[in-house]
Amino acid sequence: MNQDALIEYQQEDGIAILTLNRPEKRNAMSDAMRAELVEHLAHLRRDRSIRALVITGAGKGFCAGGDIAGMKTRMEADPATVGFNGWERQQGVHQAASMLLNLPIPTIAAVNGAAAGLGADLALSCDFVVAARSATFTWAYIARGLIPDGGGIYFLPRRIGLARAKALIFSGRRVDAEEAVQLGIADQLCEENRLLATAKAMAEEMSSGSRTAVALTKSIINRSYELSEHQVFAEGSKAQGICYTSQEHRASVQSFLDRAKETGK
């Protein structure tokens, strides 16, 4: 583990753990940190020994959002360059969110402390969210004259419904851990000292089945709100054809047949 890395990487029994590592800045997301995140996600997509991913933050916060230094640089830049530079930066933001959303393994955000703005969006880019009692979630973009640009506009309505998502984004109010679970922003609440253990246990449970089937299911279910039932059925037919040929399916069926033969049923 590289203590100087902006994102620390660990691997325990097939579970990858990425820790945002700018505790002195409450893990605010800088461009350099985002670049490291993209590199790690690309590695995880290639490494078939990894069955699940947990993302958490070092210190007392999960991720405080965008980096203030970057905002200051933007304010001091030549106005003629701000628009294009902002567009270019957004490509990196959206690349990271899309890579995390589409990672072909279960992903869990273990939220310790504040998840604000980009931090809240990062958490919701994961399949599941485990919140420590100290966790809070805030989408205060509009208070700064911005829109949620890290995926919140996409993820939050799918989590809690359209009207509730509008209310949280328009008001920018802070949601504590208990309310986050009630609303559906988080899936599980736990004590602070049990956060990583709880997230890893969820990672184990969600990755205990066929890696192939999980990846194919995730690729379809992530788009199920946008597709018609006929499209979902068509995508499912193709995915099931692949599953029929997978080693996991064949081994499972053979095990079932062997047990049936032994018991005479």
Side-chain angles (χ1 to χ4, degrees):
M1 185 169 60
N2 182 2
Q3 298 291 340
D4 295 324
L6 295 173
I7 296 182
E8 295 179 354
Y9 174 82
Q10 295 174 275
Q11 193 262 107
E12 300 177 7
D13 300 323
I15 307 299
I17 303 171
L18 295 181
T19 304
L20 309 182
N21 190 33
R22 297 181 75 204
E24 74 285 356
K25 301 290 186 182
R26 297 295 176 100
N27 303 313
M29 184 68 68
S30 65
D31 290 344
M33 178 185 277
R34 185 178 300 105
E36 284 192 22
L37 176 61
V38 167
E39 289 179 8
H40 284 300
L41 294 176
H43 164 74
L44 293 173
R45 190 172 189 88
R46 296 190 301 267
D47 188 346
R48 293 187 62 81
S49 71
I50 301 299
R51 297 181 290 109
L53 167 65
V54 173
I55 298 181
T56 193
K60 297 182 178 180
F62 178 73
C63 177
D67 184 45
I68 296 297
M71 298 179 192
K72 183 173 184 293
T73 299
R74 184 168 65 247
M75 293 295 291
E76 295 172 350
D78 179 352
T81 69
V82 170
F84 181 77
N85 290 345
W87 174 86
E88 195 171 44
R89 178 180 171 277
Q90 288 291 297
Q91 307 313 298
V93 172
H94 298 153
Q95 179 189 19
S98 181
M99 289 178 72
L100 184 52
L101 171 66
N102 293 300
L103 203 64
I105 55 175
T107 56
I108 297 96
V111 179
N112 54 308
L118 282 173
D121 290 344
L122 177 66
L124 295 196
S125 298
C126 294
D127 299 317
F128 307 101
V129 178
V130 178
R133 291 194 179 276
S134 63
T136 60
F137 299 83
T138 316
W139 288 267
Y141 291 90
I142 286 178
R144 293 177 176 80
L146 301 171
I147 71 165
D149 63 351
I153 286 178
Y154 181 85
F155 298 121
L156 193 57
R158 284 161 174 75
R159 277 263 175 182
I160 67 174
L162 191 61
R164 285 177 171 175
K166 287 178 181 177
L168 290 185
I169 292 170
F170 292 174
S171 70
R173 75 174 180 86
R174 185 172 65 180
V175 177
D176 66 22
E178 289 192 9
E179 185 183 6
V181 172
Q182 292 168 3
L183 290 174
I185 293 169
D187 304 295
Q188 196 167 341
L189 179 65
C190 68
E191 299 302 325
E192 196 79 30
N193 62 355
R194 295 291 302 163
L195 179 61
L196 266 184
T198 301
K200 286 190 283 188
M202 179 180 283
E204 289 283 356
E205 179 183 7
M206 297 303 169
S207 63
S208 61
S210 163
R211 192 183 194 279
T212 301
V214 166
L216 292 169
T217 300
K218 184 172 175 177
S219 73
I220 300 169
I221 203 169
N222 276 353
R223 297 178 291 132
S224 60
Y225 282 5
E226 290 76 37
L227 301 176
S228 69
E229 75 276 18
H230 300 295
Q231 290 171 311
V232 171
F233 295 159
E235 292 291 320
S237 295
K238 290 184 287 186
Q240 195 73 304
I242 295 171
C243 286
Y244 286 150
T245 67
S246 70
Q247 184 60 40
E248 300 104 314
H249 171 69
R250 294 175 67 83
S252 176
V253 171
Q254 189 60 55
S255 177
F256 175 80
L257 294 175
D258 290 343
R259 287 197 305 273
K261 185 176 181 180
E262 289 173 4
T263 60
K265 296 181 181 180

